Amino acid sequence: MRDRDLATSSSPARATSRRPPYSIDVILFTPRGAQLAVLCVRAADPRSRERWQLPTDWAAGDETLDVAARRVARAAAGVEPTWMEQVGAFADGQRHPGGATLTVAFVAVVPATVLDVANPDVAWFSVGEPPTLPPRHRVMLDAALETLRTRMDYAPIAFKLLPAMFTLSELQQMYEILLGRRLHKASFRRALQGAVLVEPTEEWRSEGRGRPAQFYRFAPRKRRQGRRPVRFDLL
Amino acid sequence: MRDRDLATSSSPARATSRRPPYSIDVILFTPRGAQLAVLCVRAADPRSRERWQLPTDWAAGDETLDVAARRVARAAAGVEPTWMEQVGAFADGQRHPGGATLTVAFVAVVPATVLDVANPDVAWFSVGEPPTLPPRHRVMLDAALETLRTRMDYAPIAFKLLPAMFTLSELQQMYEILLGRRLHKASFRRALQGAVLVEPTEEWRSEGRGRPAQFYRFAPRKRRQGRRPVRFDLL
DNA sequence: CGAATTAGTACCCGCGGGATACTTATGTCA
DNA sequence: TGACATAAGTATCCCGCGGGTACTAATTCG
């Protein structure tokens, strides 16, 4: 079975050498509805106790960690993440598919527009109800969410999940999905205004009911430098 | 399409039979005067371009990362760190003593009372004027400081550097050393009060000039739970 | 006793976030 | 065509909290 074989090799083969190398695993999130979803791949190893796991592969010797992680993400999702950051190294004994002694985990995001996953060995799960994962992957998923949310004040993650032009309501919804909780409208806009994170365009949204919304764009570096980060976690 | 197939294709770059393992490096800080100091060890390899480097060792197969890091710290400083946390994995090509392809870095602290380093191959350097370090260690030092300071709101690092009983002035000084900047006295005490992080004892400091200071102790978990962390970075 | 020193507190001010309610601008439908 | 629904965007008030300043308190030293 072609699919089966392909899926099988998605997890690192059991290490045969005396010193097993390390794996690069990616926790890939995307906004889906009002929640975040995490990308899982079907466990191919028939000995695996769990049916799903996170995208993983061995690190190649000549790759940097970032490049390797992008490769793993692209292999699983079919597209490049629009934002990515290292979560850390995990090696504290929990079982890992493939038996890697050490795993370097990365958290990444992709926009919702590329959710067309035809591959039956890949699926998105709500972060609220993830499938049963191998122990180390379970730990890494929680750590990845933690990293994602603590980085939101400093990295423009929400913008990397939206088109170049967006309304402030869309931006706020994206922040709410990423942070997993509601934000206050007036405070949100005040914070954006204060940090000069966005600038208005001449475009207005025409579709839909209600008052049209003005489109904004992410403010270029030049106009943002020197500004302190917005502490959205305080809103 | 090809990329997606790669998602499940078996192309883990074949490891050489003798793949080098990863190293565990520790960035160990201690309060010294009004500044932090970092522990460095003399470069043993005569081919090393730099005279100093950070404590490092290969990871043993059967150790967890934490245990290995504690071992490295103990070997260099002679004592166990009182607080430690992982910084991350570093493997982006910078030169590393020993030639490790991957390094897992830990940040740790020890109280100032154990500064008696008789070993001439070990020395403390002010973080403001560190010695020339191998490239990867230079990067790791900055990352470790960053990790230390961002964790201060959530981990009782300052308390781990003080005796069981301390005055609020001593506590504030410790926070100032760790954060690298002055704090406002009234705000600092208000924040402590609000978070119920400390509780007064019946003891008073007898030594020294000026008004005696009341001794406090770190409040036990039971009395602190439910309280939100103190954002000392906002003070 | 008074000056110096350190600990601890009181007061005021201003900023910024939360809540609420309001205005504005569209679509929908009777 | 006008009332209503819907969504965007704003105004206003309140209050908590951090910063600045200056004050009081308790000790040592000369």
PDB file of all heavy atoms in Angstrom, chain A residues 6 9 21-22 57-58 60 64-65 74-76 86 88-89 92 102 231 233, chain B residues 3-4 6-8 10 12-13 19 22 64-65 86 88-89 92 102 231 233:
ATOM      1  N   LEU A   6       4.116   5.305   2.757  1.00  0.00           N
ATOM      2  CA  LEU A   6       4.513   6.702   2.903  1.00  0.00           C
ATOM      3  C   LEU A   6       4.294   7.165   4.330  1.00  0.00           C
ATOM      4  O   LEU A   6       5.114   7.845   4.904  1.00  0.00           O
ATOM      5  CB  LEU A   6       3.701   7.581   1.937  1.00  0.00           C
ATOM      6  CG  LEU A   6       4.023   7.350   0.464  1.00  0.00           C
ATOM      7  CD1 LEU A   6       3.077   8.154  -0.407  1.00  0.00           C
ATOM      8  CD2 LEU A   6       5.469   7.741   0.183  1.00  0.00           C
ATOM      9  N   SER A   9       6.873   5.914   6.894  1.00  0.00           N
ATOM     10  CA  SER A   9       8.186   6.541   6.935  1.00  0.00           C
ATOM     11  C   SER A   9       8.115   7.981   7.448  1.00  0.00           C
ATOM     12  O   SER A   9       9.115   8.661   7.523  1.00  0.00           O
ATOM     13  CB  SER A   9       8.812   6.524   5.550  1.00  0.00           C
ATOM     14  OG  SER A   9       7.863   6.983   4.600  1.00  0.00           O
ATOM     15  N   PRO A  21      20.392   9.812  16.813  1.00  0.00           N
ATOM     16  CA  PRO A  21      20.329  11.244  16.557  1.00  0.00           C
ATOM     17  C   PRO A  21      19.046  11.821  17.136  1.00  0.00           C
ATOM     18  O   PRO A  21      18.279  11.124  17.776  1.00  0.00           O
ATOM     19  CB  PRO A  21      20.343  11.324  15.041  1.00  0.00           C
ATOM     20  CG  PRO A  21      19.698  10.059  14.602  1.00  0.00           C
ATOM     21  CD  PRO A  21      20.068   9.019  15.629  1.00  0.00           C
ATOM     22  N   TYR A  22      18.856  13.078  16.921  1.00  0.00           N
ATOM     23  CA  TYR A  22      17.666  13.724  17.473  1.00  0.00           C
ATOM     24  C   TYR A  22      16.653  13.986  16.376  1.00  0.00           C
ATOM     25  O   TYR A  22      16.988  14.064  15.197  1.00  0.00           O
ATOM     26  CB  TYR A  22      18.044  15.021  18.170  1.00  0.00           C
ATOM     27  CG  TYR A  22      18.856  15.966  17.334  1.00  0.00           C
ATOM     28  CD1 TYR A  22      18.232  16.938  16.562  1.00  0.00           C
ATOM     29  CD2 TYR A  22      20.239  15.899  17.322  1.00  0.00           C
ATOM     30  CE1 TYR A  22      18.971  17.816  15.804  1.00  0.00           C
ATOM     31  CE2 TYR A  22      20.991  16.762  16.559  1.00  0.00           C
ATOM     32  CZ  TYR A  22      20.364  17.722  15.789  1.00  0.00           C
ATOM     33  OH  TYR A  22      21.097  18.578  15.035  1.00  0.00           O
ATOM     34  N   ASP A  57      10.629  14.283  12.027  1.00  0.00           N
ATOM     35  CA  ASP A  57      11.620  13.644  11.168  1.00  0.00           C
ATOM     36  C   ASP A  57      12.988  13.801  11.820  1.00  0.00           C
ATOM     37  O   ASP A  57      13.168  14.652  12.683  1.00  0.00           O
ATOM     38  CB  ASP A  57      11.637  14.265   9.762  1.00  0.00           C
ATOM     39  CG  ASP A  57      12.338  13.343   8.769  1.00  0.00           C
ATOM     40  OD1 ASP A  57      12.760  12.234   9.168  1.00  0.00           O
ATOM     41  OD2 ASP A  57      12.465  13.722   7.594  1.00  0.00           O
ATOM     42  N   TRP A  58      13.926  13.004  11.369  1.00  0.00           N
ATOM     43  CA  TRP A  58      15.285  13.140  11.871  1.00  0.00           C
ATOM     44  C   TRP A  58      15.904  14.418  11.348  1.00  0.00           C
ATOM     45  O   TRP A  58      15.586  14.863  10.240  1.00  0.00           O
ATOM     46  CB  TRP A  58      16.143  11.948  11.440  1.00  0.00           C
ATOM     47  CG  TRP A  58      15.653  10.648  11.978  1.00  0.00           C
ATOM     48  CD1 TRP A  58      15.130   9.622  11.257  1.00  0.00           C
ATOM     49  CD2 TRP A  58      15.622  10.246  13.342  1.00  0.00           C
ATOM     50  NE1 TRP A  58      14.767   8.600  12.090  1.00  0.00           N
ATOM     51  CE2 TRP A  58      15.070   8.952  13.380  1.00  0.00           C
ATOM     52  CE3 TRP A  58      16.003  10.847  14.529  1.00  0.00           C
ATOM     53  CZ2 TRP A  58      14.871   8.252  14.552  1.00  0.00           C
ATOM     54  CZ3 TRP A  58      15.824  10.150  15.712  1.00  0.00           C
ATOM     55  CH2 TRP A  58      15.267   8.866  15.718  1.00  0.00           C
ATOM     56  N   ALA A  60      18.801  16.409   9.661  1.00  0.00           N
ATOM     57  CA  ALA A  60      19.932  16.106   8.792  1.00  0.00           C
ATOM     58  C   ALA A  60      21.155  16.840   9.319  1.00  0.00           C
ATOM     59  O   ALA A  60      21.056  17.882   9.945  1.00  0.00           O
ATOM     60  CB  ALA A  60      19.623  16.539   7.364  1.00  0.00           C
ATOM     61  N   THR A  64      20.399  23.618   9.441  1.00  0.00           N
ATOM     62  CA  THR A  64      20.164  24.306  10.704  1.00  0.00           C
ATOM     63  C   THR A  64      18.821  23.819  11.238  1.00  0.00           C
ATOM     64  O   THR A  64      18.016  23.235  10.513  1.00  0.00           O
ATOM     65  CB  THR A  64      20.120  25.825  10.519  1.00  0.00           C
ATOM     66  OG1 THR A  64      18.983  26.153   9.734  1.00  0.00           O
ATOM     67  CG2 THR A  64      21.388  26.334   9.839  1.00  0.00           C
ATOM     68  N   LEU A  65      18.589  24.067  12.523  1.00  0.00           N
ATOM     69  CA  LEU A  65      17.346  23.589  13.128  1.00  0.00           C
ATOM     70  C   LEU A  65      16.139  24.215  12.447  1.00  0.00           C
ATOM     71  O   LEU A  65      15.139  23.538  12.188  1.00  0.00           O
ATOM     72  CB  LEU A  65      17.349  23.920  14.627  1.00  0.00           C
ATOM     73  CG  LEU A  65      18.434  23.217  15.454  1.00  0.00           C
ATOM     74  CD1 LEU A  65      18.384  23.679  16.904  1.00  0.00           C
ATOM     75  CD2 LEU A  65      18.245  21.708  15.381  1.00  0.00           C
ATOM     76  N   ARG A  74       6.620  21.613   6.018  1.00  0.00           N
ATOM     77  CA  ARG A  74       6.208  21.588   4.616  1.00  0.00           C
ATOM     78  C   ARG A  74       5.809  20.183   4.203  1.00  0.00           C
ATOM     79  O   ARG A  74       4.831  19.970   3.485  1.00  0.00           O
ATOM     80  CB  ARG A  74       7.351  22.102   3.736  1.00  0.00           C
ATOM     81  CG  ARG A  74       6.907  22.486   2.347  1.00  0.00           C
ATOM     82  CD  ARG A  74       8.091  22.888   1.463  1.00  0.00           C
ATOM     83  NE  ARG A  74       9.169  23.488   2.206  1.00  0.00           N
ATOM     84  CZ  ARG A  74      10.364  22.909   2.333  1.00  0.00           C
ATOM     85  NH1 ARG A  74      10.599  21.736   1.783  1.00  0.00           N
ATOM     86  NH2 ARG A  74      11.311  23.513   3.031  1.00  0.00           N
ATOM     87  N   ALA A  75       6.539  19.225   4.702  1.00  0.00           N
ATOM     88  CA  ALA A  75       6.233  17.843   4.348  1.00  0.00           C
ATOM     89  C   ALA A  75       4.863  17.425   4.864  1.00  0.00           C
ATOM     90  O   ALA A  75       4.141  16.688   4.213  1.00  0.00           O
ATOM     91  CB  ALA A  75       7.310  16.924   4.916  1.00  0.00           C
ATOM     92  N   ALA A  76       4.487  17.918   6.025  1.00  0.00           N
ATOM     93  CA  ALA A  76       3.226  17.486   6.611  1.00  0.00           C
ATOM     94  C   ALA A  76       2.048  18.309   6.103  1.00  0.00           C
ATOM     95  O   ALA A  76       0.981  17.770   5.824  1.00  0.00           O
ATOM     96  CB  ALA A  76       3.306  17.569   8.140  1.00  0.00           C
ATOM     97  N   GLN A  86      11.365  28.156  17.920  1.00  0.00           N
ATOM     98  CA  GLN A  86      11.728  26.962  18.669  1.00  0.00           C
ATOM     99  C   GLN A  86      11.047  26.957  20.035  1.00  0.00           C
ATOM    100  O   GLN A  86      10.950  27.993  20.687  1.00  0.00           O
ATOM    101  CB  GLN A  86      13.248  26.881  18.863  1.00  0.00           C
ATOM    102  CG  GLN A  86      13.687  25.587  19.495  1.00  0.00           C
ATOM    103  CD  GLN A  86      15.140  25.599  19.961  1.00  0.00           C
ATOM    104  OE1 GLN A  86      15.459  25.210  21.072  1.00  0.00           O
ATOM    105  NE2 GLN A  86      16.032  26.038  19.074  1.00  0.00           N
ATOM    106  N   GLY A  88      11.840  24.215  22.369  1.00  0.00           N
ATOM    107  CA  GLY A  88      12.888  23.723  23.253  1.00  0.00           C
ATOM    108  C   GLY A  88      13.228  22.278  22.932  1.00  0.00           C
ATOM    109  O   GLY A  88      12.718  21.701  21.972  1.00  0.00           O
ATOM    110  N   ALA A  89      14.087  21.724  23.764  1.00  0.00           N
ATOM    111  CA  ALA A  89      14.515  20.348  23.591  1.00  0.00           C
ATOM    112  C   ALA A  89      13.808  19.474  24.613  1.00  0.00           C
ATOM    113  O   ALA A  89      13.641  19.864  25.769  1.00  0.00           O
ATOM    114  CB  ALA A  89      16.032  20.235  23.757  1.00  0.00           C
ATOM    115  N   ASP A  92      13.115  13.919  28.231  1.00  0.00           N
ATOM    116  CA  ASP A  92      13.011  13.441  29.602  1.00  0.00           C
ATOM    117  C   ASP A  92      12.284  12.124  29.717  1.00  0.00           C
ATOM    118  O   ASP A  92      11.417  11.931  30.564  1.00  0.00           O
ATOM    119  CB  ASP A  92      12.345  14.504  30.477  1.00  0.00           C
ATOM    120  CG  ASP A  92      13.288  15.678  30.666  1.00  0.00           C
ATOM    121  OD1 ASP A  92      14.462  15.527  30.323  1.00  0.00           O
ATOM    122  OD2 ASP A  92      12.834  16.721  31.134  1.00  0.00           O
ATOM    123  N   LEU A 102      16.290  12.465  21.907  1.00  0.00           N
ATOM    124  CA  LEU A 102      16.112  13.915  22.066  1.00  0.00           C
ATOM    125  C   LEU A 102      15.304  14.463  20.906  1.00  0.00           C
ATOM    126  O   LEU A 102      15.478  14.057  19.754  1.00  0.00           O
ATOM    127  CB  LEU A 102      17.465  14.627  22.120  1.00  0.00           C
ATOM    128  CG  LEU A 102      17.374  16.142  22.347  1.00  0.00           C
ATOM    129  CD1 LEU A 102      18.210  16.554  23.528  1.00  0.00           C
ATOM    130  CD2 LEU A 102      17.786  16.900  21.101  1.00  0.00           C
ATOM    131  N   ARG A 231       1.276  44.731  25.189  1.00  0.00           N
ATOM    132  CA  ARG A 231       1.054  43.607  26.088  1.00  0.00           C
ATOM    133  C   ARG A 231      -0.386  43.135  25.974  1.00  0.00           C
ATOM    134  O   ARG A 231      -1.213  43.435  26.815  1.00  0.00           O
ATOM    135  CB  ARG A 231       1.363  44.016  27.526  1.00  0.00           C
ATOM    136  CG  ARG A 231       2.718  44.645  27.684  1.00  0.00           C
ATOM    137  CD  ARG A 231       3.804  43.613  27.394  1.00  0.00           C
ATOM    138  NE  ARG A 231       3.749  42.521  28.311  1.00  0.00           N
ATOM    139  CZ  ARG A 231       4.657  42.312  29.262  1.00  0.00           C
ATOM    140  NH1 ARG A 231       5.659  43.128  29.390  1.00  0.00           N
ATOM    141  NH2 ARG A 231       4.535  41.284  30.059  1.00  0.00           N
ATOM    142  N   ASP A 233      -1.494  40.421  26.507  1.00  0.00           N
ATOM    143  CA  ASP A 233      -1.860  39.522  27.590  1.00  0.00           C
ATOM    144  C   ASP A 233      -2.438  40.286  28.771  1.00  0.00           C
ATOM    145  O   ASP A 233      -3.004  39.705  29.681  1.00  0.00           O
ATOM    146  CB  ASP A 233      -0.642  38.714  28.043  1.00  0.00           C
ATOM    147  CG  ASP A 233       0.490  39.626  28.510  1.00  0.00           C
ATOM    148  OD1 ASP A 233       0.576  40.746  27.996  1.00  0.00           O
ATOM    149  OD2 ASP A 233       1.242  39.207  29.385  1.00  0.00           O
TER     150      ASP A 233
ATOM    151  N   ASP B   3       6.076  18.111  -2.602  1.00  0.00           N
ATOM    152  CA  ASP B   3       6.348  18.427  -1.209  1.00  0.00           C
ATOM    153  C   ASP B   3       5.476  17.593  -0.285  1.00  0.00           C
ATOM    154  O   ASP B   3       5.907  17.118   0.742  1.00  0.00           O
ATOM    155  CB  ASP B   3       6.082  19.906  -0.930  1.00  0.00           C
ATOM    156  CG  ASP B   3       7.284  20.741  -1.339  1.00  0.00           C
ATOM    157  OD1 ASP B   3       8.358  20.145  -1.571  1.00  0.00           O
ATOM    158  OD2 ASP B   3       7.140  21.946  -1.437  1.00  0.00           O
ATOM    159  N   ARG B   4       4.218  17.455  -0.702  1.00  0.00           N
ATOM    160  CA  ARG B   4       3.325  16.714   0.171  1.00  0.00           C
ATOM    161  C   ARG B   4       3.749  15.259   0.278  1.00  0.00           C
ATOM    162  O   ARG B   4       3.660  14.640   1.314  1.00  0.00           O
ATOM    163  CB  ARG B   4       1.891  16.803  -0.358  1.00  0.00           C
ATOM    164  CG  ARG B   4       0.911  16.072   0.530  1.00  0.00           C
ATOM    165  CD  ARG B   4      -0.493  16.467   0.230  1.00  0.00           C
ATOM    166  NE  ARG B   4      -0.667  17.910   0.365  1.00  0.00           N
ATOM    167  CZ  ARG B   4      -1.804  18.519   0.118  1.00  0.00           C
ATOM    168  NH1 ARG B   4      -2.826  17.841  -0.296  1.00  0.00           N
ATOM    169  NH2 ARG B   4      -1.911  19.809   0.265  1.00  0.00           N
ATOM    170  N   LEU B   6       6.697  14.329   0.140  1.00  0.00           N
ATOM    171  CA  LEU B   6       7.837  14.337   1.046  1.00  0.00           C
ATOM    172  C   LEU B   6       7.375  14.264   2.494  1.00  0.00           C
ATOM    173  O   LEU B   6       8.066  13.750   3.354  1.00  0.00           O
ATOM    174  CB  LEU B   6       8.654  15.614   0.844  1.00  0.00           C
ATOM    175  CG  LEU B   6       9.714  15.551  -0.252  1.00  0.00           C
ATOM    176  CD1 LEU B   6      10.436  16.869  -0.347  1.00  0.00           C
ATOM    177  CD2 LEU B   6      10.680  14.430   0.028  1.00  0.00           C
ATOM    178  N   ALA B   7       6.158  14.766   2.680  1.00  0.00           N
ATOM    179  CA  ALA B   7       5.634  14.757   4.040  1.00  0.00           C
ATOM    180  C   ALA B   7       5.711  13.362   4.621  1.00  0.00           C
ATOM    181  O   ALA B   7       5.946  13.186   5.814  1.00  0.00           O
ATOM    182  CB  ALA B   7       4.190  15.225   4.047  1.00  0.00           C
ATOM    183  N   THR B   8       5.485  12.432   3.783  1.00  0.00           N
ATOM    184  CA  THR B   8       5.440  11.076   4.299  1.00  0.00           C
ATOM    185  C   THR B   8       6.507  10.210   3.671  1.00  0.00           C
ATOM    186  O   THR B   8       6.528   9.011   3.848  1.00  0.00           O
ATOM    187  CB  THR B   8       4.069  10.467   4.012  1.00  0.00           C
ATOM    188  OG1 THR B   8       3.742  10.714   2.653  1.00  0.00           O
ATOM    189  CG2 THR B   8       3.019  11.081   4.906  1.00  0.00           C
ATOM    190  N   SER B  10      10.217   8.767   3.026  1.00  0.00           N
ATOM    191  CA  SER B  10      11.322   8.460   3.925  1.00  0.00           C
ATOM    192  C   SER B  10      12.608   9.021   3.368  1.00  0.00           C
ATOM    193  O   SER B  10      13.294   8.384   2.580  1.00  0.00           O
ATOM    194  CB  SER B  10      11.411   6.937   4.087  1.00  0.00           C
ATOM    195  OG  SER B  10      12.733   6.532   4.042  1.00  0.00           O
ATOM    196  N   PRO B  12      14.965  10.659   5.590  1.00  0.00           N
ATOM    197  CA  PRO B  12      15.805  11.142   6.675  1.00  0.00           C
ATOM    198  C   PRO B  12      17.245  10.950   6.261  1.00  0.00           C
ATOM    199  O   PRO B  12      17.681   9.835   6.037  1.00  0.00           O
ATOM    200  CB  PRO B  12      15.441  10.226   7.849  1.00  0.00           C
ATOM    201  CG  PRO B  12      14.906   8.987   7.221  1.00  0.00           C
ATOM    202  CD  PRO B  12      14.384   9.356   5.863  1.00  0.00           C
ATOM    203  N   ALA B  13      17.916  12.071   6.094  1.00  0.00           N
ATOM    204  CA  ALA B  13      19.303  11.986   5.641  1.00  0.00           C
ATOM    205  C   ALA B  13      20.014  10.931   6.483  1.00  0.00           C
ATOM    206  O   ALA B  13      20.020  11.014   7.709  1.00  0.00           O
ATOM    207  CB  ALA B  13      19.986  13.329   5.796  1.00  0.00           C
ATOM    208  N   ARG B  19      27.523   9.430  14.400  1.00  0.00           N
ATOM    209  CA  ARG B  19      26.948  10.766  14.524  1.00  0.00           C
ATOM    210  C   ARG B  19      27.341  11.346  15.876  1.00  0.00           C
ATOM    211  O   ARG B  19      27.149  10.698  16.902  1.00  0.00           O
ATOM    212  CB  ARG B  19      25.420  10.668  14.444  1.00  0.00           C
ATOM    213  CG  ARG B  19      24.701  11.973  14.705  1.00  0.00           C
ATOM    214  CD  ARG B  19      23.213  11.745  14.652  1.00  0.00           C
ATOM    215  NE  ARG B  19      22.786  11.478  13.275  1.00  0.00           N
ATOM    216  CZ  ARG B  19      22.455  12.455  12.444  1.00  0.00           C
ATOM    217  NH1 ARG B  19      22.504  13.699  12.839  1.00  0.00           N
ATOM    218  NH2 ARG B  19      22.073  12.179  11.227  1.00  0.00           N
ATOM    219  N   TYR B  22      24.999  15.218  21.336  1.00  0.00           N
ATOM    220  CA  TYR B  22      24.797  16.642  21.643  1.00  0.00           C
ATOM    221  C   TYR B  22      25.423  16.956  22.987  1.00  0.00           C
ATOM    222  O   TYR B  22      25.611  16.083  23.828  1.00  0.00           O
ATOM    223  CB  TYR B  22      23.320  16.987  21.623  1.00  0.00           C
ATOM    224  CG  TYR B  22      22.457  16.100  22.477  1.00  0.00           C
ATOM    225  CD1 TYR B  22      22.201  16.433  23.808  1.00  0.00           C
ATOM    226  CD2 TYR B  22      21.869  14.959  21.965  1.00  0.00           C
ATOM    227  CE1 TYR B  22      21.399  15.623  24.595  1.00  0.00           C
ATOM    228  CE2 TYR B  22      21.080  14.145  22.740  1.00  0.00           C
ATOM    229  CZ  TYR B  22      20.849  14.476  24.053  1.00  0.00           C
ATOM    230  OH  TYR B  22      20.061  13.680  24.833  1.00  0.00           O
ATOM    231  N   THR B  64      18.319  12.362  32.053  1.00  0.00           N
ATOM    232  CA  THR B  64      17.418  13.370  31.522  1.00  0.00           C
ATOM    233  C   THR B  64      18.227  14.648  31.340  1.00  0.00           C
ATOM    234  O   THR B  64      19.318  14.802  31.898  1.00  0.00           O
ATOM    235  CB  THR B  64      16.245  13.632  32.472  1.00  0.00           C
ATOM    236  OG1 THR B  64      16.745  14.230  33.668  1.00  0.00           O
ATOM    237  CG2 THR B  64      15.512  12.349  32.802  1.00  0.00           C
ATOM    238  N   LEU B  65      17.671  15.583  30.578  1.00  0.00           N
ATOM    239  CA  LEU B  65      18.401  16.817  30.298  1.00  0.00           C
ATOM    240  C   LEU B  65      18.678  17.577  31.586  1.00  0.00           C
ATOM    241  O   LEU B  65      19.762  18.116  31.785  1.00  0.00           O
ATOM    242  CB  LEU B  65      17.594  17.683  29.327  1.00  0.00           C
ATOM    243  CG  LEU B  65      17.389  17.095  27.930  1.00  0.00           C
ATOM    244  CD1 LEU B  65      16.515  18.013  27.097  1.00  0.00           C
ATOM    245  CD2 LEU B  65      18.730  16.875  27.257  1.00  0.00           C
ATOM    246  N   GLN B  86      15.697  25.301  31.185  1.00  0.00           N
ATOM    247  CA  GLN B  86      16.245  25.145  29.847  1.00  0.00           C
ATOM    248  C   GLN B  86      16.089  26.422  29.039  1.00  0.00           C
ATOM    249  O   GLN B  86      15.047  27.088  29.111  1.00  0.00           O
ATOM    250  CB  GLN B  86      15.544  23.997  29.108  1.00  0.00           C
ATOM    251  CG  GLN B  86      16.192  23.661  27.778  1.00  0.00           C
ATOM    252  CD  GLN B  86      15.359  22.731  26.909  1.00  0.00           C
ATOM    253  OE1 GLN B  86      15.130  22.985  25.734  1.00  0.00           O
ATOM    254  NE2 GLN B  86      14.907  21.636  27.497  1.00  0.00           N
ATOM    255  N   GLY B  88      17.146  26.410  25.508  1.00  0.00           N
ATOM    256  CA  GLY B  88      16.757  25.933  24.191  1.00  0.00           C
ATOM    257  C   GLY B  88      17.888  25.152  23.549  1.00  0.00           C
ATOM    258  O   GLY B  88      18.931  24.926  24.159  1.00  0.00           O
ATOM    259  N   ALA B  89      17.647  24.755  22.313  1.00  0.00           N
ATOM    260  CA  ALA B  89      18.641  24.005  21.564  1.00  0.00           C
ATOM    261  C   ALA B  89      19.319  24.933  20.569  1.00  0.00           C
ATOM    262  O   ALA B  89      18.667  25.766  19.943  1.00  0.00           O
ATOM    263  CB  ALA B  89      17.985  22.837  20.833  1.00  0.00           C
ATOM    264  N   ASP B  92      22.905  26.163  15.075  1.00  0.00           N
ATOM    265  CA  ASP B  92      22.877  26.886  13.809  1.00  0.00           C
ATOM    266  C   ASP B  92      24.255  27.241  13.306  1.00  0.00           C
ATOM    267  O   ASP B  92      24.529  28.346  12.879  1.00  0.00           O
ATOM    268  CB  ASP B  92      22.009  28.138  13.950  1.00  0.00           C
ATOM    269  CG  ASP B  92      20.548  27.743  14.072  1.00  0.00           C
ATOM    270  OD1 ASP B  92      20.257  26.569  13.816  1.00  0.00           O
ATOM    271  OD2 ASP B  92      19.744  28.596  14.421  1.00  0.00           O
ATOM    272  N   LEU B 102      24.874  19.861  18.072  1.00  0.00           N
ATOM    273  CA  LEU B 102      23.721  20.423  18.765  1.00  0.00           C
ATOM    274  C   LEU B 102      24.047  20.591  20.239  1.00  0.00           C
ATOM    275  O   LEU B 102      24.692  19.742  20.845  1.00  0.00           O
ATOM    276  CB  LEU B 102      22.491  19.526  18.604  1.00  0.00           C
ATOM    277  CG  LEU B 102      21.216  20.063  19.260  1.00  0.00           C
ATOM    278  CD1 LEU B 102      20.071  20.085  18.265  1.00  0.00           C
ATOM    279  CD2 LEU B 102      20.831  19.247  20.482  1.00  0.00           C
ATOM    280  N   ARG B 231       4.226  41.237  37.979  1.00  0.00           N
ATOM    281  CA  ARG B 231       4.939  41.649  36.779  1.00  0.00           C
ATOM    282  C   ARG B 231       6.023  42.643  37.140  1.00  0.00           C
ATOM    283  O   ARG B 231       5.872  43.843  36.963  1.00  0.00           O
ATOM    284  CB  ARG B 231       3.961  42.266  35.781  1.00  0.00           C
ATOM    285  CG  ARG B 231       2.771  41.387  35.481  1.00  0.00           C
ATOM    286  CD  ARG B 231       3.201  40.131  34.782  1.00  0.00           C
ATOM    287  NE  ARG B 231       3.824  40.452  33.504  1.00  0.00           N
ATOM    288  CZ  ARG B 231       3.245  40.217  32.353  1.00  0.00           C
ATOM    289  NH1 ARG B 231       2.060  39.669  32.302  1.00  0.00           N
ATOM    290  NH2 ARG B 231       3.856  40.516  31.229  1.00  0.00           N
ATOM    291  N   ASP B 233       8.571  43.212  35.699  1.00  0.00           N
ATOM    292  CA  ASP B 233       9.097  43.901  34.526  1.00  0.00           C
ATOM    293  C   ASP B 233       8.325  45.185  34.243  1.00  0.00           C
ATOM    294  O   ASP B 233       8.740  46.005  33.442  1.00  0.00           O
ATOM    295  CB  ASP B 233       9.032  42.979  33.304  1.00  0.00           C
ATOM    296  CG  ASP B 233       7.604  42.525  33.028  1.00  0.00           C
ATOM    297  OD1 ASP B 233       6.835  42.416  33.984  1.00  0.00           O
ATOM    298  OD2 ASP B 233       7.283  42.309  31.866  1.00  0.00           O
TER     299      ASP B 233
END
